[in-house]
């Protein structure tokens, strides 16, 4: 029988790259979340540094825009004492036609130890991982519509922080799910961690029906989708990934699926509201909810530093 090993794990089942949450063992996810917990206190100290990546060079390669992911990866790497190089893609030789793999080969010749990669093409971080030297680690910081594993992990950290036990939860993911790598990573993580009710909520054009095969309940009515939910994850309309009109208008979308205080009342009284950002106020979420007492959108960002420190320190400590 042909056996295809998960490329992000070594033969001992240890994490050497983080490319996707799909296929990660539950204990690996818990190890990342537990390790992130130990880094939270580092981030609250006056001297916010530990020497775990001292002497290592981390290259941030963001071929797509980013505020949260890029900045928190840079902070995380610096807090682990790594040397951090942010390649300015717009001014790099990519603009002169240099291929992705030639860029990687040249940066590897500068003794890169880790690449953090965001790319519009699904699979780009896998390609890089396949072509790197065995000692080099790759972290997917978002590839096309495919995966955003560190966002998925920081979302799990946030849920565990506020709700403790995954096995009793109802989680509603609302909005543009078809274009969302965050939704895909969250659904894989929630399934692996044993969440019994995962709902994908939105209009038919934005919620793929095949999610049912992953055990997800698909709802095209917001009231049904939010009813009794413990966690509500709102998603942005990804206009940059839409080809042609998938919605009548942003105003119509807000009327049917935008989260307002009245609609949030359909969820559990102690529900938390999450969003990976960037938020579009008045499109998928009302300001009264985004800035309200149930919102944990900014704590998600803060937890992201500790989770990215955990991922980088764990993979750097494992050999291919
Ligand atoms: N959540 C997220 O990926 O945000 P950025 O695009 O700002 O990194």
């Amino acid at each position: 029988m042909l056996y295809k090993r998960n490329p992000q794990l070594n033969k001992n089942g240890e994490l050497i790259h983080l490319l996707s949450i799909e296929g990660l063992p539950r204990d690996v996810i818990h190890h990342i979340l537990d390790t992130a917990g130990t880094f939270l206190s580092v981030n609250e100290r006056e001297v916010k540094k530990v020497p775990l990546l001292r002497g290592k060079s981390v290259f941030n390669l963001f071929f797509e825009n980013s505020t949260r992911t890029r900045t928190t990866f840079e902070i995380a790497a610096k807090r682990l004492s790594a040397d951090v190089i942010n390649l300015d893609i717009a001014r790099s030789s990519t603009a002169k036609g240099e291929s992705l793999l030639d860029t990687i080969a040249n940066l590897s010749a500068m003794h890169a130890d880790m690449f953090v990669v965001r790319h519009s093409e699904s699979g780009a971080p896998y390609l890089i991982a396949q072509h790197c030297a065995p000692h080099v680690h790759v972290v997917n910081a978002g590839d096309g519509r495919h995966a955003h594993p560190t966002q998925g992990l920081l979302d799990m950290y946030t849920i565990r922080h506020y709700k403790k036990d995954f096995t009793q939860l109802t989680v509603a993911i609302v909005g543009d799910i078809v274009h969302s790598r965050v939704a895909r990573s969250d659904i894989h993580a929630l399934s692996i961690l044993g969440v019994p009710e995962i709902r994908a909520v939105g209009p038919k054009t934005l919620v793929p029906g095949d999610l049912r095969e992953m055990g997800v309940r698909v709802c095209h009515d917001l009231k049904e989708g939010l009813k009794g939910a413990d966690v509500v994850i709102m998603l942005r309309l990804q206009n940059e990934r839409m080809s042609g009109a998938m919605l009548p208008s942003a105003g119509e979308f807000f009327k049917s699926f935008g989260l307002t205080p009245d609609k949030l009342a359909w969820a559990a009284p102690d529900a938390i509201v999450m969003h990976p950002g960037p938020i579009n106020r008045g499109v998928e979420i009302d300001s009264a909810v985004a800035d309200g007492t149930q919102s944990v959108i900014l704590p998600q960002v803060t937890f992201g530093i500790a989770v990215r420190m955990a991922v980088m320190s764990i993979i750097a400590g494992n050999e291919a």
Side-chain angles (χ1 to χ4, degrees), residues 197-306:
E197 172 100 354
I198 306 168
R199 300 177 188 161
V201 189
K204 284 192 174 136
T205 47
L206 297 182
V207 181
D210 61 5
L211 287 177
R212 292 188 183 94
E213 288 155 30
M214 296 173 71
V216 174
R217 178 170 154 195
V218 171
C219 305
H220 299 303
D221 175 76
L222 187 60
K223 189 171 186 178
E224 179 197 342
L226 290 183
K227 195 167 178 220
D230 303 293
V231 177
V232 181
I233 302 175
M234 299 304 297
L235 298 174
R236 177 177 72 87
L237 286 182
Q238 305 214 3
N239 291 313
E240 73 277 21
R241 296 191 206 284
M242 291 187 198
S243 51
M246 300 186 81
L247 288 169
S249 69
E252 281 300 310
F253 179 79
F254 185 69
K255 225 188 278 174
S256 302
F257 292 98
L259 192 61
T260 59
D262 286 354
K263 293 170 182 166
L264 180 57
W266 294 328
D270 62 348
I272 55 169
V273 177
M274 298 168 55
H275 193 309
I279 62 173
N280 285 317
R281 293 169 186 266
V283 178
E284 73 273 358
I285 192 164
D286 191 85
S287 283
V289 175
D291 305 328
T293 54
Q294 288 170 266
S295 169
V296 297
I297 295 171
L298 293 179
Q300 282 176 266
V301 178
T302 306
F303 293 147
I305 298 172

Side-chain angles (χ1 to χ4, degrees), residues 103-314:
T103 300
I104 293 298
N106 280 271
L107 299 178
S108 296
M110 299 173 202
H111 302 293
D113 296 293
M114 191 179 294
F115 292 114
V116 177
V117 184
R118 170 167 290 190
H119 205 285
S120 58
E121 292 294 327
S122 296
Y126 284 77
L127 186 72
I128 294 170
Q130 277 170 352
H131 287 84
C132 280
H135 74 277
V136 176
H137 305 276
V138 179
V139 184
N140 182 357
D143 62 328
R145 297 184 192 188
H146 171 244
H148 193 348
T150 57
Q151 181 70 46
L153 290 166
L154 78 86
D155 287 352
M156 296 310 110
Y157 188 92
T158 306
I159 293 172
R160 193 173 81 163
H161 179 86
Y162 290 101
K163 296 292 171 189
K164 315 296 177 210
D165 180 7
F166 287 103
T167 67
Q168 304 292 326
L169 294 180
T170 295
V171 179
I173 305 173
V174 183
D176 182 0
I177 291 167
V178 74
H179 298 107
S180 175
R181 55 197 176 203
V182 176
R184 247 169 289 285
S185 290
D186 280 348
I187 289 167
H188 283 298
L190 292 165
S191 303
I192 293 166
L193 293 171
V195 169
E197 172 100 354
I198 306 168
R199 300 177 188 161
V201 189
K204 284 192 174 136
T205 47
L206 297 182
V207 181
D210 61 5
L211 287 177
R212 292 188 183 94
E213 288 155 30
M214 296 173 71
V216 174
R217 178 170 154 195
V218 171
C219 305
H220 299 303
D221 175 76
L222 187 60
K223 189 171 186 178
E224 179 197 342
L226 290 183
K227 195 167 178 220
D230 303 293
V231 177
V232 181
I233 302 175
M234 299 304 297
L235 298 174
R236 177 177 72 87
L237 286 182
Q238 305 214 3
N239 291 313
E240 73 277 21
R241 296 191 206 284
M242 291 187 198
S243 51
M246 300 186 81
L247 288 169
S249 69
E252 281 300 310
F253 179 79
F254 185 69
K255 225 188 278 174
S256 302
F257 292 98
L259 192 61
T260 59
D262 286 354
K263 293 170 182 166
L264 180 57
W266 294 328
D270 62 348
I272 55 169
V273 177
M274 298 168 55
H275 193 309
I279 62 173
N280 285 317
R281 293 169 186 266
V283 178
E284 73 273 358
I285 192 164
D286 191 85
S287 283
V289 175
D291 305 328
T293 54
Q294 288 170 266
S295 169
V296 297
I297 295 171
L298 293 179
Q300 282 176 266
V301 178
T302 306
F303 293 147
I305 298 172
V307 168
R308 290 175 172 126
M309 288 173 79
V311 168
M312 288 193 280
S313 61
I314 289 169

Side-chain angles (χ1 to χ4, degrees), residues 62 65-70 118 141 148 151 181-182 276-278:
F62 278 67
N65 293 349
S66 168
T67 296
R68 281 146 290 272
T69 312
R70 177 179 158 150
R118 170 167 290 190
H148 193 348
Q151 181 70 46
R181 55 197 176 203
V182 176

